Amino acid sequence: MNGEQPSEWGAWVVLGGVHLLNRTAPQRPDEPIVLVRVPQQEVCRPATTVIVRWDALGTCLAEALHPGGTRIGAATIDGGELFPDAIAGTALRALVGNEAAPGLVPLCYLAEHPGGGYHAYAQVRFHPEDACFVRTTPEPVGHGPVEDLRWFEPVLTAHAESSTALNNHLRYFRKHFSGTELEFKYTLDPAPDIWAASMELLKALRDGKLEGCRPEYRDEFQIHHTENHLFDVTGPEPEIGYASFIPTVTAGHVLKRKWFTEDAFARREKLTPGLDITPDRFGTYLTEDLGLQVRAMPPFQRVRYDIQCESMRTGHVYGIFLDRCALLAAPDVVLSQCELEYLRSRSILDHDPDEVLIEMKRIDSWLCEYFADCGWATEHTFYSKRSFLRDAITFRPDLATQ
């Protein structure tokens, strides 16, 4: 329905004691449940992820009930006054009482289904400014008026069944295609200022220009600035690809391996962190310790700005990386690219992993159109860092590393 829902479909943020999420105490018969009627917050339907920003809700009707459905009271509260400092505000405190208020948190986002019943989205992140919710009900639950609370026990049960995932520190992530990198590349020519380009692209995502997607909640942008020492792995044949040493902030290097006989969309990938070796031993480590045949490539500086893009429909998270690589020995030799890569998924519901491939193609089409409008690129390419370094040596033999 292109993200448009009839206004009569109800939506609520349900508040209750935090112990109902972290399971530190059983539900009490006298504790309040608060239904806060809110404008529909789903970017699309069906949705996997919902973000609620308190100050964007406007004036809301909040109704407090006992678990059995007995009405305690009601109040109109501005969304921005619900949880100042992530603590129940004055109006909520007056509604539920001083005993219950300190432990009051958003439990779930509840969305009325047009055929009856409700979809529930468990709260996984909660801050004074906003909260993130992930859908836990594959089918609608609890038919009947929302005040009857027929949906409440099924929602708590669904949360309990997935509590290990929902309550873990990652809140909640899984990764499909483990050990394989799925990636589209775009060579940007003429090369833009990648900082300005990143900010404009991030703004486009915030503004909803890519349907059904938004910047990832609380992790929308990252900056990477590293040196890379890349080796072309020429044999034995099953090992053909490259090995790249990347320094870490704490100590040592990460070894990034990719295997391929030719550049492609899907490639086997492995990261080995914590290698305590110095650059003068990189080649020796690869040949003697790993038994590889390698050729050293010119070291390069990499500046990369990562835009994290989350699909609200599936929960899959994709990285859109704007990347500038310049040779340390020849800063005028530069590769400017964008990469679209699958990163991880925020969902406890079962999704067909092939949806990642379908969704990546859709984002790829959008990016190609976006870059074409900017005059930078018209299609994706499989031109890699390894190919760039090989070409650099071909045209500038003086850059070859002995």
Side-chain angles (χ1 to χ4, degrees), residues 26-281:
Q27 182 183 1
R28 299 183 297 272
D30 61 340
E31 66 180 304
I33 305 299
V34 183
L35 304 179
V36 182
R37 180 70 183 256
V38 299
Q40 292 160 5
Q41 301 296 300
E42 302 99 307
V43 166
C44 55
R45 286 202 177 190
T48 291
T49 308
V50 171
I51 309 300
V52 175
R53 294 176 174 82
W54 307 122
D55 63 2
L57 295 178
T59 301
C60 305
L61 175 64
E63 185 175 11
L65 308 166
H66 286 305
T70 305
R71 191 171 187 269
I72 299 172
T76 55
I77 306 174
D78 182 80
E81 299 299 321
L82 285 168
F83 290 104
D85 301 313
I87 301 171
T90 303
L92 269 182
R93 188 176 293 271
L95 182 60
V96 302
N98 289 330
E99 182 178 350
L104 201 68
V105 299
L107 298 180
C108 67
Y109 172 82
L110 198 68
E112 186 176 12
H113 185 73
Y118 306 86
H119 282 295
Y121 299 73
Q123 181 257 108
V124 291
R125 299 280 298 276
F126 169 42
H127 300 275
E129 302 83 10
D130 52 34
C132 178
F133 301 82
V134 174
R135 184 152 61 97
T136 56
T137 53
E139 301 295 336
V141 296
H143 288 56
V146 67
E147 297 84 0
D148 288 355
L149 304 184
R150 294 193 184 106
W151 48 266
F152 191 61
E153 285 303 324
V155 166
L156 289 185
T157 298
H159 192 285
E161 290 174 347
S162 299
S163 61
T164 301
L166 294 169
N167 294 341
N168 83 85
H169 72 287
L170 294 176
R171 297 290 209 259
Y172 161 85
F173 286 105
R174 70 169 84 178
K175 185 172 177 64
H176 300 296
F177 306 100
S178 181
T180 300
E181 177 190 64
L182 304 179
E183 180 183 66
F184 286 120
K185 294 179 183 291
Y186 316 82
T187 299
L188 305 180
D189 186 18
D193 177 336
I194 62 169
W195 173 263
S198 298
M199 293 300 99
E200 288 297 325
L201 184 53
L202 184 56
K203 182 179 184 301
L205 290 175
R206 288 175 181 149
D207 292 345
K209 301 298 184 182
L210 176 54
E211 184 181 352
C213 294
R214 294 293 185 273
E216 184 184 2
Y217 178 74
R218 296 265 164 174
D219 193 12
E220 62 178 28
F221 189 70
Q222 296 178 356
I223 296 173
H224 298 268
H225 186 174
T226 63
E227 290 184 3
N228 281 248
H229 295 259
L230 189 144
F231 290 76
D232 191 1
V233 179
T234 58
E237 187 172 345
E239 300 295 334
I240 290 175
Y242 76 70
S244 182
F245 293 89
I246 305 167
T248 65
V249 174
T250 51
H253 291 77
V254 171
L255 172 60
K256 183 177 184 178
R257 289 287 317 277
K258 287 188 182 179
W259 288 263
F260 46 87
T261 53
E262 60 183 38
D263 295 332
F265 168 68
R267 298 182 290 192
R268 187 158 65 97
E269 178 183 60
K270 180 181 179 182
L271 299 179
T272 304
L275 291 177
D276 188 17
I277 55 177
T278 55
D280 60 297
R281 288 203 64 252

Side-chain angles (χ1 to χ4, degrees), residues 295-309:
R295 179 175 60 154
M297 296 282 102
F300 60 93
Q301 179 197 66
R302 186 178 195 185
V303 177
R304 197 179 86 183
Y305 300 130
D306 292 5
I307 298 168
Q308 318 279 73
C309 172

